[in-house]
Amino acid sequence: MEYDLPSDFDIIVVGTGMVESIVSAAASRIGKRVLHIDSNSYYGGLWASFNLDSISKIPEGNRSQPVVENKENEIVYPVGNDVFDLRIHSQKWHIPESNPEKDVDESDSAVAQEEHEWTQEKLLKISRKFNIDLAPKLHFAKGDFVELLISSNIARYSEFRSVSRILTWLNGSLEIVPCSRSDVFSSNRVSVIEKRMLMKLLTSCVDGDENEFKGYEGKTFQSYLKDRKLTENLIHYVLYAIAMCTDDTLCLEGVEKTKRFLGSLGRFGKTPFLYSMYGSGEITQAFCRLSAVFGGIYALNQSLNGFIYDNDNTFKGIICGKQRINATHLVMSLEKLPKEIVDFSTTEYISRAIFITDKSILEDEREHLTLLLFPPVDRKAACVVLELGSLTGTCPKGLHIVHVFTKQTVNPEDDLKHCVEKLFCKREGESNSSPSILWSFYFSAPNTFSQKLECEKLLNTYVCPGPDLDLDYDPAIERAKEIFERIYSNAEFLPRAPDPEEIIIEGEDNNNIINETEERAEVPADQGDVSSELAHEDDT
Amino acid sequence: MATRKKVLLKVIILGDSGVGKTSLMNQYVNKKFSNQYKATIGADFLTKEVIVDDRIVTLQIWDTAGQERFQSLGVAFYRGADCCVLVFDVTAPNTFKSLDSWRDEFLIQASPREPADFPFVLLGNKVDLEPRAISTKRAQQWCQSKNNIPYFETSAKEALNVEQAFQSIARNALTQQSQSVDLYNEFPDQIKLTNTTNRNSNGDSCAC
């Protein structure tokens, strides 16, 4: 199956990260001819999910690149830079490679006993049961992302699970954060008086008029909570868990964040959050699928050999393998930006750790999908901890994947150490009630969200940022929309895609996408209705 | 005991570009055929309710959306398939040669619980065209070597054998699903986002 790619497009999108994929879908959706390519053999770039085997082979950065070529009337820039890449600090196993006694004794009881003795060999054998996110995300049930998925009809490509509990670290132990009305009332950690105070506060945060926060413009959210005479425990729940703030967060920002949380309660499940089944990496593929359905051409694993510009620095095309492909616009992920053009310096990084563990950080009768908001302590920034069980389709039964991340100040190990030490067994082999870490992966990635990425040197060229620290995809959607509107200023951004059935029905008139030239007779009259009635009977 | 729940079966169609995947799906569901070749645009998935052994099941048939053209189908496409339909063009030998790699790709990406028992169905399409390059016998031999995959020779254009093929696909998918999902129920309580305010049963009302 060796084909050449078509050689002329309206827009070429390089990289299949979140922002690129949204732009690609939006452009295809309005009928633009889109080529979407990636030099990786997988979707998602820095937003991808990997199985256990492939994450150990993850490329750290771009290899050495050829230099700029000046041809007659044209300049060819090499692809990629080494500024915006993952920096792997360590990837380690904390269990033996294999269990030598295994082959000797294969009796049933030995197997049963062995269940809990994980080895590298065992885990790698079921490597594909793991879907390990580089950039795990949660979705506010009424947030921009969920609303976009629904309004664009991309929701049909994905499935979710709701986060089943939110934890915080309070007075030296893990506590469940009461976030819904019933949680508040059933919690035995919160006194009756506190319950009333909490409900009153949350109500005034959501419904409060301007007077409520008058005088707090320059003050912190914490000071507002203190003035409302909340107890220490309640302040902790609201400030660190519900609003996800620090001690320095300003009052109005804290109120906004509280609203974001409360506004998404009660739609799905017990908490405001959803998580994508099989990992966050599925989401970029959902947008790519929509792009493909609307004619976008997809080619992974391509060797990108250059971006072509004319002497006025206007984008002309790319060199893919040996083929030249022309287009009017170029959208690319940050890590593909030519080295010569990179004039953004990265100042912010995200410290990330991923663990495979043998049990939950807070065991319960049933499996949970847990979000732990680890509060800031001793000048260490707050950490987000996301614990995924097998029901998310990201790890095998009996194990958990734990993501821990925070804004980088030193390096991933040091930034997360205080949190990791409290949650997991300190030494290998030590047995207490805390989960053991079977495998660990520490890395950092640039946080490019707050950076201006306008590429003034190159015309018709748009640069997409990498993953950010937001829990959800809100900043990514905002950026994608911005880029889309700069390219196609009058077009609608991801209008609802028709259902497949609707496309066919429209086709019976005249503007058919599939372009019927020959119609067969015997279109079954109302067959669908009859069957659905039958199905209904069957239900009862 | 047969479950009386509504059954949704996900079927994916694989094969080289141009073998007629979209046409087969469109002929089966919409009783239509387009002679004009166009790399799959607008084709996403189609659904059809069928009766299999007195049970009503909804077949959801997923097209590749053209992402197979440059070997760029992502793993998300393969999730949760209950049956995989492999298609080749009986007049194009290369499309027959690719079958092994499509089957392997499916087994790797979808990683079904019991790879040896996972239901595939093979369709040799375009039997209305001449000259024939792959004989029935050769296709059947391939099927036998793969644990007896059912084989149908079809013409999406002439609507030949399409109905029968998909009936078999539905039956195989149903067997697969009742063996695996119903027994193990691997991922209960998944949430599908829909426009209707889909309130989860254990959902709480807003705290405010």
Side-chain angles (χ1 to χ4, degrees), chain B residues 118-132:
Chain B
F118 189 86
F120 288 90
V121 173
L122 179 67
L123 308 185
N125 193 32
K126 302 196 187 179
V127 288
D128 56 289
L129 291 187
E130 293 288 343
R132 178 92 183 221

Side-chain angles (χ1 to χ4, degrees), chain A residues 91 216 249 395 410 443-444 502:
Chain A
Q91 199 180 109
Y216 285 97
T249 308
C395 68
V410 189
F443 64 101
S444 55
E502 294 168 344

Side-chain angles (χ1 to χ4, degrees), chain B residues 54-127:
Chain B
D54 297 331
R55 290 185 70 181
I56 293 172
V57 298
T58 304
L59 275 192
Q60 195 179 66
I61 309 161
W62 287 71
D63 199 355
T64 53
Q67 282 175 306
E68 85 287 10
R69 247 173 108 194
F70 302 101
Q71 295 86 53
S72 301
L73 280 166
V75 63
F77 175 71
Y78 297 90
R79 302 274 186 220
D82 297 300
C83 179
C84 174
V85 181
L86 299 170
V87 186
F88 73 100
D89 173 350
V90 296
T91 68
N94 284 337
T95 66
F96 182 74
K97 285 189 197 123
S98 305
L99 291 174
D100 276 309
S101 62
W102 282 119
R103 184 175 168 276
D104 293 346
E105 182 70 5
F106 177 86
L107 291 174
I108 292 169
Q109 300 283 6
S111 45
R113 192 179 293 271
E114 305 285 346
D117 298 332
F118 189 86
F120 288 90
V121 173
L122 179 67
L123 308 185
N125 193 32
K126 302 196 187 179
V127 288

Side-chain angles (χ1 to χ4, degrees), chain A residues 43 157 160-161 182 199 266 293, chain B residues 33 42 44 72 108 188 191 204 207:
Chain A
Y43 281 94
Y157 304 130
F160 298 87
R161 277 199 87 74
S182 69
M199 294 310 292
V293 164
Chain B
F33 178 77
D44 195 352
S72 301
I108 292 169
I191 294 169
D204 281 290

Side-chain angles (χ1 to χ4, degrees), chain A residues 1 72 80 82 101 129 136 139 184 188-189 198 204 239 249 325 365 367 379 419 432 448 458 525:
Chain A
M1 288 193 297
E72 207 182 321
D82 50 12
E101 288 140 65
K129 292 254 177 215
H139 316 298
V184 171
N188 51 16
R189 297 283 178 171
L198 183 59
S204 54
L239 186 64
T249 308
I325 304 169
E365 287 156 17
E367 183 186 306
R379 272 176 268 135
C419 171
N432 58 23
T448 49
L458 302 177

Side-chain angles (χ1 to χ4, degrees), chain A residues 277-294:
Chain A
M277 285 292 300
Y278 310 107
S280 298
E282 299 283 295
I283 297 296
T284 67
Q285 292 177 54
F287 281 88
C288 291
R289 166 97 189 167
L290 186 90
S291 182
V293 164
F294 284 89

Side-chain angles (χ1 to χ4, degrees), chain A residues 1-6 43 128-129 131 142 145-146 149-151 155-162 179-184 199 202-203 206-207 262-263 265-270 274 277-278 282 285-286 288-290 292-302 366 390-394 397 496 498 500-501 503-505 507-508 512-524 527-528 530-536 538-539, chain B residues 3-8 15-18 22 25-36 38-51 54-56 58 60-77 79-80 94 98 101-102 105 107-113 156-159 163 184-208:
Chain A
M1 288 193 297
E2 287 278 313
Y3 299 102
D4 261 356
L5 288 158
Y43 281 94
R128 297 194 67 90
K129 292 254 177 215
N131 286 296
K142 282 186 187 153
F145 171 75
V146 165
L149 277 199
I150 293 170
S151 67
R156 62 191 179 206
Y157 304 130
S158 31
E159 279 151 346
F160 298 87
R161 277 199 87 74
S162 58
C179 50
S180 68
R181 186 186 287 269
S182 69
D183 275 356
V184 171
M199 294 310 292
L202 297 179
T203 309
V206 173
D207 303 332
L262 295 178
L265 268 178
R267 190 176 198 180
F268 308 106
K270 285 192 161 187
L274 296 175
M277 285 292 300
Y278 310 107
E282 299 283 295
Q285 292 177 54
C288 291
R289 166 97 189 167
L290 186 90
V293 164
F294 284 89
I297 291 185
Y298 276 81
L300 299 178
N301 215 2
Q302 298 297 309
R366 63 186 193 98
S390 66
L391 292 174
T392 59
T394 61
K397 259 210 164 74
R496 180 180 174 277
E501 291 78 7
I503 295 175
I504 306 297
I505 290 163
E508 282 165 5
N512 191 356
I513 289 183
I514 301 175
N515 231 334
E516 303 288 339
T517 52
E518 199 181 322
E519 286 213 357
R520 304 253 134 203
E522 43 175 316
V523 176
Q527 195 186 3
V530 175
S531 338
S532 62
E533 267 173 45
L534 285 172
H536 198 69
D538 195 46
D539 263 350
Chain B
T3 43
R4 283 279 146 191
K5 277 193 298 184
K6 247 189 175 175
V7 185
L8 178 74
D16 285 1
S17 293
T22 310
M25 184 171 117
N26 206 27
Q27 175 60 260
Y28 175 60
V29 178
N30 297 313
K31 310 282 181 226
K32 281 183 194 169
F33 178 77
S34 161
N35 220 347
Q36 190 175 326
K38 225 181 191 185
T40 314
I41 290 183
D44 195 352
F45 60 86
L46 292 177
T47 50
K48 181 163 171 156
E49 296 199 323
V50 285
I51 298 171
D54 297 331
R55 290 185 70 181
I56 293 172
T58 304
Q60 195 179 66
I61 309 161
W62 287 71
D63 199 355
T64 53
Q67 282 175 306
E68 85 287 10
R69 247 173 108 194
F70 302 101
Q71 295 86 53
S72 301
L73 280 166
V75 63
F77 175 71
R79 302 274 186 220
N94 284 337
S98 305
S101 62
W102 282 119
E105 182 70 5
L107 291 174
I108 292 169
Q109 300 283 6
S111 45
R113 192 179 293 271
K157 187 178 179 183
E158 309 281 342
E163 194 70 41
Y184 299 101
N185 202 3
E186 204 168 7
F187 303 118
D189 311 324
Q190 287 182 48
I191 294 169
K192 269 288 202 194
L193 305 178
T194 54
N195 215 350
T196 53
T197 35
N198 186 351
R199 273 177 190 268
N200 195 306
S201 53
N202 58 2
D204 281 290
S205 52
C206 185
C208 37

